[in-house]
Amino acid sequence: MVEGLRVLITQSTFANIGGSEVQAFELAQYLQSQKCTVTLYAWSAGWPMRDLIQKAGIDLVVAQDSRAQELLASEFDFVWVQHEVMPASLLRSFANDEVSPVVVFSHMSPYKEVHIEKPYTYDLENAVADLVVCNSRGTQDSLRDLLPENDRIALYPNPVPLEFTNARSRTSWKLHRILMVSNHPPEELENAIRILRTQGYVVDTLSDALGGDSPAITSADKLAEYDCVITIGKTVQYCLVQGVPVFVYDRFGGPGYLNENNYEVAKYYNFSGRNHDDSFSLGEAMRNANVNRLSSEDIASLLISGYDEAVEFQMQNREAFTGDYSIAPVFDVIFDKASKRLHSKELGCAYLEYVIATQQMVSDYVSAHQRMVDARRAFYSQDILLYSCNDASKNFTQRVVNLYGSGLRPTNAVEYEAHNVRAVRVDFGELPCKISDISVISHANSDEDLIPCKYSTNAVLIQDGEYVFPYGDPQISVETESGEGLLPSFTLKATVKPLSQQYASELGMRHLNDLAKQVQDLKTELESIKNSRWWKLRGRIIKDK
């Protein structure tokens, strides 16, 4: 049904691994597997989500990219919109194209505080959307007063990739290996895990299971290694489709193992752990969480005593869960509904400019807010800039800015192809940072042609093998080892970590204090010299002359 479509999927940012990012990414992967041409668009992108998209071979365009101007209605058959993000070029082209793509808007949060998940642009979805989808009945009910044409709303319950549908579960009647997937586990859950470990159960976090500290999305192969999973949200759907018993509990508390008595309520609240009316308020939901909380001892006990019933519930319902949450049948239904409702997207000039101005305002606000609340995300949303120079003066001019391929990440490998230049400078963003594990590897056709290279930096300090840039503007310059001749192709590797403002300030003050001490030491030494015999003798000789 969907094979061969030209698809655009939009999202505010692709940086952290979050619910909306994962939904967009998994939809892109599915459509790509159906031989569709898929483009992702966002206001900004950064590590680690940008790397996952790149690894999957999916085209990503950000607002600053010149290619954003090429995103026209005539270029797409289907547009999936999250956070009401729509490129200005696409909006303007609706007025000029006779055939409009099918457009679906998606919403994933019921909370009034999460403004970007609401229809915040006046009348946009009524004017443009062929269908509006929500991830749960709870989210759908939260939009009743905001979308007048409620018959255009449908459920898209955050379905899961086919790998989970097709995967074999390791589910057994004996509980031994447990996986906890959480971004914010409450204290009682962490204590329950300690209790279970002392009783001989193996309990892993997702980082334990994946190895290392690199964030990633849960895989079917990894889930198959465990007898049950403690989690909320999207991972619940992964488990339901794969047949892995799931214990729903996190910062909102939760019902524990899903069963016939609590499943429908848990589904209404998108498996978040909530089960009380909270007026679609995140603040009220947090207050209600106290009612849902269990003691650490009760959590550990229920995980053990309720396991057999949970296994039976999963075995009896896996086929139904597959129909409800597998991406292929769920998306096909949504696309069919939206296609049948296809309508003209003619926007008046004044209204169009209002929408574009609103988009820019929200984009600016979201970017500023993310920088303020998540410094790490902001740091890894920067770009790596390359500069070159052709003379010994080291007058660098900007040569390459690749917003997609050269985004900053913790571990970087910048590849440079020789372009007849004397030196190259690599700037790892502009913010204060620490850079370590620097190496330059020259490339050549043969060992005889290998031209060794060296690097230098503008680091203020070198501390414990790390180059420290407390004032930002980190620069690494690469030239031939002799300092003469043209640069060969090379790969510059470096580990780059953000520097907190407090640490940068402390480091900067320490550096200024060191300089002040050096100045004072020089003054003391100078006074000592002035008081020495030979200095006084020098003064007499000069005077006699």
Side-chain angles (χ1 to χ4, degrees), residues 45 249 253 284 391 418 460:
Y249 196 94
E284 189 170 335
D391 53 54
V460 171

Side-chain angles (χ1 to χ4, degrees), residues 18 30 72 102 104 135-136 176 186 192 221 266 315 330 333 456 471-472 484 516 541:
Y30 168 67
L72 308 176
V102 176
V104 173
N135 63 345
S136 69
H176 178 60
D221 289 342
M315 292 176 64
V330 172
V333 169
S456 59
Y471 311 121
E484 302 293 335
I541 293 172

